[in-house]
Amino acid sequence: MDAFSPQTLAARFLFPVNGSVIERGAITMQGGKITSLDRKTTNADAQDLGNVAILPGLINAHTHLEFSSLAAPLGAPGMPLPEWIEHVVCWRRALTNESATPVPPDHAVRQGLCESLRYGITALGEICTTDWATTAFPESPASCTLFREQIGLSPERCQDSLSSARQWIAEFPTRWPPQSQRPTTGTRHAGLSPHAPYTVAIDLLESLCDLARKSNNPVAMHLAESPEELELLRTGGGDFAAMLDRLGAWDPGTTRPGRSPYDYLLRLVNTPRLLVIHGNYLNQRELDLLAQHRDHTSIIYCPRTHAFFQHTSYPWDAVLTRGIPLALGTDSRASNPDLNLLAEMRFLLGRLSSPSPQQVLKMGTSHGARALGRHHDMGILQPGMLANLAVVRLPDRTAKDPHELLFDPESKIIRSYVHGSLVYAEENI
Ligand SMILES: [Zn+2]
């Protein structure tokens, strides 16, 4: 079956996300898009998938695929963030050490992209530390927004970082020709990622935001992630300064005490689209500022990574009540056992206090689409949207609320579709 012939899939439940769940429904796709959602089908050619739920393809709004070959997270649960980052830096240095077997940069990314499709993820927000100039970013049907990571505290590093950001934006269209020329590969979009307040001088941040504004590109930044980050901003010292000093990357002249994430947000909200990564410790004033800009800003919550670092409870309620889109990310396999976004949702629902199942489903679909600026063609099941689907096998039982079946521990992604084409199937078809 090619994407250009009409095809109809029947399922026990369709979850449109922006409307009520449809029981024993059918979805029809043609030309890569959804053409109809029906309460029942009389179409004799419909393929009945049985006891499954069909959802929009899941959206992982924050990941670092370069860590996808890790079998287990680095460091230990509850480790302070500065100490964990030291582990990550040592791991990276060991990879490039002459005595170690060099791992090609695209190997882990390819693994991560395959794993994502297995988990029904059809779009990602990826932080890149490689320019992918000589090696192409691996082919995959998943749509990827590639946020080029930027780091710079000293004036020299800031200058280099800004040049590399300009080059990334300028050369991006030549590295990724239009999708019509590569029908089996998902769309690729350029973004910038000033890494975090402890690695990016505020002047560099201002220049990067300026570049994003002029080139109309999205920006993703790790912000308000840990108490140590807040301490560094407040006092100009603490565990982050000590860690960076040990790594030879600290420049005391670049951090002025008396700052907070608010100072960074003031610059960031003036970009065309902002993804605040984590935001674990955003205060009321900072959330209010984001709420004023919620048409183009989102916060990305990474539930299992948040739990790995044993942070204080996540302010999801304060985010959602302000109408700020809260999307989900797996972060990387350096702080999470896998890239399974459905597991991320289940984990969140299993917490003592959590959003409703309907809200959690939105976080992994329509809010993710909004975060990546793809809400016009992704994140919900509706005629005219891209036919990106995740098919979930459900447990053999009944439930009052179908969301209960969807998030049951036995439920499993068994198929993924991108633009109407089957790109992953657990069973042989
Ligand atoms: Zn991250």
Side-chain angles (χ1 to χ4, degrees):
M1 182 76 67
D2 65 67
F4 297 96
S5 319
Q7 56 176 325
T8 300
L9 303 174
R12 183 175 172 194
F13 295 110
L14 304 180
F15 284 78
V17 175
N18 63 334
S20 318
V21 177
I22 301 172
E23 191 167 358
R24 278 187 275 281
I27 182 166
T28 302
M29 317 176 266
Q30 185 171 20
K33 294 195 171 174
I34 297 168
T35 53
S36 71
L37 293 186
D38 300 298
R39 300 213 160 260
K40 61 178 184 185
T41 183
T42 47
N43 181 350
D45 294 331
Q47 189 181 5
D48 189 352
L49 298 179
N51 185 20
V52 301
I54 298 182
L55 332 172
L58 301 179
I59 297 182
N60 185 358
H62 179 62
T63 189
H64 304 250
L65 294 178
E66 67 181 287
F67 297 102
S68 302
S69 56
L70 282 172
L74 298 173
M79 184 174 261
L81 191 65
E83 203 180 318
W84 179 83
I85 288 176
E86 225 167 340
H87 272 73
V88 173
V89 173
C90 292
W91 177 80
R92 272 218 186 100
R93 284 180 181 170
L95 277 187
T96 50
N97 188 319
E98 280 173 22
S99 60
T101 313
V103 177
D106 58 336
H107 181 79
V109 173
R110 188 169 290 116
Q111 249 179 292
L113 287 166
C114 289
E115 185 181 344
S116 299
L117 290 179
R118 273 205 319 275
Y119 289 133
I121 295 163
T122 56
L124 304 126
E126 158 72 348
I127 308 290
C128 303
T129 54
T130 303
D131 277 333
W132 301 109
T134 48
T135 326
F137 186 79
E139 299 276 317
S140 161
S143 170
C144 300
T145 303
L146 304 176
F147 296 94
R148 180 68 174 89
E149 184 175 273
Q150 303 298 329
I151 284 179
L153 287 173
S154 66
E156 302 75 42
R157 283 291 301 268
C158 289
Q159 203 45 53
D160 289 351
S161 171
L162 190 56
S163 309
S164 76
R166 287 198 185 110
Q167 196 178 348
W168 175 253
I169 298 292
E171 292 181 2
F172 199 88
T174 58
R175 287 181 198 161
W176 283 276
Q179 210 212 345
S180 53
Q181 294 172 25
R182 304 164 299 119
T184 57
T185 302
T187 51
R188 302 286 178 257
H189 299 275
L192 294 174
S193 180
H195 174 248
Y198 49 89
T199 50
V200 176
I202 206 146
D203 291 352
L204 172 59
L205 177 72
E206 230 162 59
S207 305
L208 292 170
C209 290
D210 207 36
L211 175 61
R213 213 165 24 248
K214 285 180 184 144
S215 58
N216 197 27
N217 285 103
V219 171
M221 183 171 192
H222 298 86
L223 194 68
E225 183 177 1
S226 68
E228 293 83 1
E229 174 195 323
L230 301 193
E231 184 192 10
L232 176 76
L233 295 179
R234 200 174 54 244
T235 67
D239 288 355
F240 258 123
M243 178 275 286
L244 291 167
D245 199 30
R246 281 198 295 279
L247 294 173
W250 181 234
D251 187 341
T254 54
T255 307
R256 220 180 48 206
R259 286 202 175 118
S260 71
Y262 191 82
D263 299 288
Y264 292 77
L265 285 175
L266 277 178
R267 276 99 178 157
L268 287 162
V269 293
N270 292 321
T271 56
R273 187 160 292 284
L274 166 65
L275 292 81
V276 174
I277 311 300
H278 302 303
N280 301 331
Y281 295 91
L282 288 171
N283 64 24
Q284 305 292 317
R285 181 172 170 241
E286 289 152 356
L287 289 168
D288 286 343
L289 177 63
L290 284 171
Q292 285 166 30
H293 296 269
R294 63 184 171 225
D295 60 324
H296 65 281
T297 65
S298 305
I299 301 178
I300 317 301
Y301 175 23
C302 304
R304 288 183 295 169
T305 291
H306 176 272
F308 177 82
F309 289 107
Q310 298 172 6
H311 291 303
T312 56
S313 61
Y314 194 83
W316 59 265
D317 197 24
V319 175
L320 291 176
T321 51
R322 283 171 171 78
I324 305 167
L326 184 61
L328 294 178
T330 59
D331 215 330
S332 76
R333 270 174 165 262
S335 57
N336 208 0
D338 54 49
L339 305 177
N340 184 348
L341 205 75
L342 187 62
E344 215 67 60
M345 293 167 162
R346 269 193 211 116
F347 177 85
L348 179 49
L349 286 166
R351 307 295 278 175
L352 271 182
S353 143
S354 71
S356 69
Q358 288 85 345
Q359 284 172 315
V360 171
L361 183 58
K362 281 185 182 168
M363 289 160 70
T365 53
S366 57
H367 288 195
R370 183 162 281 279
L372 297 177
R374 300 298 305 272
H375 47 293
H376 302 296
D377 60 1
M378 288 180 184
I380 56 173
L381 299 183
Q382 185 175 284
M385 304 299 274
L386 289 174
N388 290 359
L389 313 176
V391 179
V392 185
R393 187 173 56 218
L394 300 174
D396 260 331
R397 63 180 180 90
T398 54
K400 232 182 184 168
D401 180 354
H403 289 86
E404 208 183 290
L405 300 173
L406 176 62
F407 293 118
D408 186 280
E410 271 184 45
S411 294
K412 189 171 184 233
I413 305 275
I414 55 162
R415 286 189 183 194
S416 304
Y417 289 81
V418 173
H419 300 188
S421 296
L422 186 63
V423 294
Y424 164 71
E426 187 195 64
E427 77 277 41
N428 291 324
I429 296 169

